[in-house]
Amino acid sequence: MKTIKTISILGLLFLSFACSDNNDDDDLSETQKTENLLTSGKWYLESKTPDDFSACEKNGSLKFNDDGSIVQENFEENLGTCELEETATATYTLSGSSLEITFGSDVISATINSITASELSLTDSSGDIIILDKTQG
């Protein structure tokens, strides 16, 4: 009888741990959550305030990688055709909501205003607000 009680108690304990509502994301810091979203795929240029991107420039993207590298694709209109003008590689550093992107000797500082799985809002050091999303064009 004692063995049955022990097995029952162990079974209940196992079930309570197996059914617990512990989400692994709850244990991540805000910076880790932001980095996970940042590295979740390509971010395409959507809008910029006060200036805006052309329809062609909206094909441009930023791809943040887990290793701290970033790949930027720039598109420009050439004789009426939207073409990939350049692909550049850089590095980035994320600290809280502060983002620094280093292209050679150029360092671009930005603040992440908000980030979700589908939209990223940044303010750069000149005060421009840049919106990126997961949809090309």
Side-chain angles (χ1 to χ4, degrees):
M1 189 70 162
K2 228 178 182 184
T3 305
I4 293 175
K5 279 185 180 179
T6 304
I7 292 173
S8 296
I9 290 172
L10 288 174
L12 287 174
L13 283 173
F14 175 75
L15 279 175
S16 67
F17 285 115
C19 296
S20 72
D21 190 21
N22 184 13
N23 187 344
D24 291 339
D25 286 347
D26 293 343
D27 296 334
L28 297 176
S29 71
E30 284 304 310
T31 300
Q32 289 171 317
K33 289 178 188 177
T34 299
E35 187 164 17
N36 286 346
L37 288 169
L38 201 60
T39 59
S40 66
K42 277 188 178 182
W43 292 98
Y44 294 94
L45 302 176
E46 178 58 33
S47 65
K48 182 179 176 184
T49 306
D51 300 322
D52 204 359
F53 299 116
S54 70
C56 181
E57 288 172 326
K58 288 184 178 185
N59 289 296
S61 66
L62 298 172
K63 171 73 171 91
F64 295 87
N65 298 307
D66 292 329
D67 65 359
S69 67
I70 183 172
V71 177
Q72 179 183 16
E73 294 180 333
N74 295 317
F75 283 78
E76 289 292 327
E77 192 141 341
N78 184 16
L79 302 172
T81 303
C82 184
E83 298 176 347
L84 176 64
E85 178 184 278
E86 149 185 60
T87 300
T89 304
T91 59
Y92 74 93
T93 305
L94 179 66
S95 178
S97 62
S98 297
L99 180 65
E100 279 194 356
I101 301 173
T102 305
F103 290 96
S105 61
D106 294 331
V107 177
I108 300 167
S109 297
T111 301
I112 297 176
N113 303 321
S114 64
I115 187 169
T116 66
S118 60
E119 186 175 280
L120 170 59
S121 171
L122 303 168
T123 300
D124 67 16
S125 56
S126 62
D128 292 346
I129 298 172
I130 302 165
I131 306 293
L132 299 103
D133 64 20
K134 296 294 184 148
T135 307
Q136 184 175 5

